[in-house]
Amino acid sequence: MFNLVASGSQSTCEGVTRRELLQIGTLGIGGLSLAQLFQLEAAAGTQAGSLLRDKAVVVLNLQGGPTHIETFDPKMTAPAEYRAMFGEAQTALPGVTFGAHFPMLAARAHHMAIVRCYSHGNSNHATAAKLVMAGGNSTGAQMGVLLSRLVGSNSPRTGMPINSVLPPKALGEKFAKLGGQTDRVTDIGTLPSSYRPFDPSAGSEVVRNMQLSIQEQRLDDRRSLLTQLDGLRREAEASDLLAGSDAFQQQAFDVIVGGISEAFNLDQESAATRARYDTSQFTIPRHVAKKKSNVPGQAPIALGQQMLLARRLVEHDCRFVTVTSSGWDMHGNAFGINDGMPILGPAVDRAASAFLDDLRERGMADRVLLVITGEFGRTPKINTKGGRDHWGNLCTLAFAGG
């Protein structure tokens, strides 16, 4: 755990003083503090994360089971009850089309790989979601959990957790009522709980271990966190707070008050960048929202910001990010293919396209792999309710970058 102490009067029950600004107890390498870690790395002349490459994976997990037909395999030559309900969009590749709600991704198809033969046969939400995110490995642990087990739970350069999950609530209480089932996509399987992905929206073990000794601090209040860390930084610079510390302690301090907090600050992005990612316009019409009580929580209004935050976490050394988008359980009668796709499809199209363009412009496209998938696909035949049912025999899967 690490503690940031805001005033000289505060201390832990062990009597930690104001000078002992922080301690990080678990980085996945035996309980070293971050300062000690930097010191050992310097002494050894090697990087602690020698297995860690300059690569990252961002999984856009469409929760509920996205229709493979209306996304990336329209099948427009099939009979009406089988083919994509809204038609197709021409891609930049001859003979390849996407669903009609994905014109922006269709224009970027030459940067993507669409897998139209992906099947695992499991049509149960919970078990299929865990199976997909584990890649079928024998531990049952999410792939990002395995990465943390191999290279350590935090970046030795920035202190950023190696593996994170970003549901809508990660952006603050404003989006707390939006859906996002993180437990299904962050399972640790048989591995220790210390490798659980960092979830900035809820009480994960990593969050519980991050204790800021500042009154009324809430980790899910991103703006409050940033303000308090900035104040701590200014206080340290204006005093002799770090005068007695060595270079490694100062480096650790800079990591905590700088790297992690800045990653969550979307205000550092230009207005043009934020606008490009913006999906706030994809709200649910009142006549659709009133059909079922859970429908308002499926609005993808935060998805663009989630993807922008994912890019920022990767830039700060997070190496496996899972972004959740709910509402894809499209059986019909809200949400179905008929009333769900016109809302969720364009939001994914905009957010994922902005992400891919951003990566290319920043020279990150070759080192960041975007995966778009869900727990399973939907039945080939449209049902009588304007939807499709669970189908583990063919699933949505698209790759880009990497």
Side-chain angles (χ1 to χ4, degrees), residues 51 133-152 162-163 187-191 195-197 320:
L51 294 176
M133 291 303 291
N137 81 81
S138 60
T139 71
Q142 180 221 43
M143 287 178 277
V145 171
L146 296 183
L147 178 62
S148 293
R149 175 64 180 83
L150 289 170
V151 304
I162 290 295
N163 182 18
D187 196 50
I188 58 172
T190 60
L191 296 184
Y195 297 111
R196 191 176 302 281
F320 197 100

Side-chain angles (χ1 to χ4, degrees), residues 75-117:
K75 301 184 183 299
M76 294 308 295
T77 59
E81 63 269 29
Y82 293 94
R83 63 179 180 245
M85 185 180 291
F86 293 94
E88 62 187 353
Q90 295 296 323
T91 73
L93 303 175
V96 178
T97 62
F98 289 176
H101 293 111
F102 299 89
M104 298 176 73
L105 284 176
R108 294 157 178 79
H110 55 296
H111 296 302
M112 303 177 67
I114 308 301
V115 181
R116 291 175 168 171
C117 56

Side-chain angles (χ1 to χ4, degrees), residues 10-343:
Q10 292 179 317
S11 63
T12 69
C13 57
E14 290 83 13
V16 177
T17 66
R18 183 169 177 264
R19 285 187 179 277
E20 295 173 351
L21 287 169
L22 58 89
Q23 57 177 210
I24 298 185
T26 53
L27 289 180
I29 53 171
L32 292 173
S33 74
L34 187 56
Q36 290 171 323
L37 174 61
F38 288 143
Q39 196 166 19
L40 286 174
E41 287 177 4
T46 61
Q47 293 288 333
S50 58
L51 294 176
L52 191 61
R53 300 292 183 258
D54 188 25
K55 303 286 185 179
V57 175
V58 174
V59 178
L60 175 51
N61 193 281
L62 309 181
Q63 296 191 307
T67 162
H68 55 289
I69 297 172
E70 273 77 19
T71 51
F72 303 118
D73 193 7
K75 301 184 183 299
M76 294 308 295
T77 59
E81 63 269 29
Y82 293 94
R83 63 179 180 245
M85 185 180 291
F86 293 94
E88 62 187 353
Q90 295 296 323
T91 73
L93 303 175
V96 178
T97 62
F98 289 176
H101 293 111
F102 299 89
M104 298 176 73
L105 284 176
R108 294 157 178 79
H110 55 296
H111 296 302
M112 303 177 67
I114 308 301
V115 181
R116 291 175 168 171
C117 56
Y118 169 45
S119 170
H120 53 62
N122 188 328
S123 298
N124 176 275
H125 283 300
T127 55
K130 292 179 180 181
L131 174 68
V132 168
M133 291 303 291
N137 81 81
S138 60
T139 71
Q142 180 221 43
M143 287 178 277
V145 171
L146 296 183
L147 178 62
S148 293
R149 175 64 180 83
L150 289 170
V151 304
S153 296
N154 297 69
S155 163
R157 182 178 71 88
T158 66
M160 176 65 67
I162 290 295
N163 182 18
S164 297
V165 59
L166 296 177
K169 192 181 174 183
L171 295 160
E173 287 298 317
K174 176 181 178 182
F175 302 108
K177 294 183 179 180
L178 298 182
Q181 296 173 305
T182 58
D183 58 327
R184 291 181 178 179
V185 294
T186 60
D187 196 50
I188 58 172
T190 60
L191 296 184
S193 61
S194 58
Y195 297 111
R196 191 176 302 281
F198 174 60
D199 181 357
S201 70
S204 69
E205 181 156 333
V206 177
V207 173
R208 288 193 296 272
N209 283 340
M210 296 173 65
Q211 297 179 359
L212 299 182
S213 300
I214 302 172
Q215 193 173 21
E216 297 180 357
Q217 166 64 36
R218 290 175 57 87
L219 279 173
D220 58 2
D221 183 346
R222 301 262 59 91
R223 188 170 298 278
S224 176
L225 175 62
L226 295 170
T227 300
Q228 291 161 0
L229 289 174
D230 185 60
L232 180 61
R233 182 192 294 110
R234 291 197 306 270
E235 180 185 355
E237 292 172 349
S239 67
D240 64 347
L241 201 59
L242 290 171
S245 63
D246 61 26
F248 300 108
Q249 289 172 316
Q250 293 187 52
Q251 183 181 4
F253 175 80
D254 291 339
V255 160
I256 297 305
V257 300
I260 293 181
S261 62
E262 289 181 0
F264 286 92
N265 189 358
L266 297 184
D267 290 340
Q268 292 187 351
E269 298 291 335
S270 69
T273 296
R274 295 197 301 272
R276 181 162 60 172
Y277 277 91
D278 185 24
T279 57
S280 62
Q281 68 271 40
F282 299 110
T283 57
I284 298 176
R286 184 173 299 178
H287 73 278
V288 175
K290 69 181 182 181
K291 291 182 180 180
K292 288 184 179 179
S293 60
N294 68 331
V295 169
Q298 316 301 341
I301 55 176
L303 182 58
Q305 293 184 58
Q306 290 169 262
M307 293 301 294
L308 177 55
L309 183 54
R311 192 218 78 207
R312 291 184 60 82
L313 293 192
V314 168
E315 288 181 310
H316 286 76
D317 276 4
C318 189
R319 289 293 173 253
F320 197 100
V321 184
T322 304
V323 174
T324 66
S325 172
S326 65
W328 293 86
D329 194 16
M330 296 180 175
H331 291 280
N333 291 341
F335 266 10
I337 303 299
N338 57 345
D339 51 14
M341 278 305 300
I343 301 166

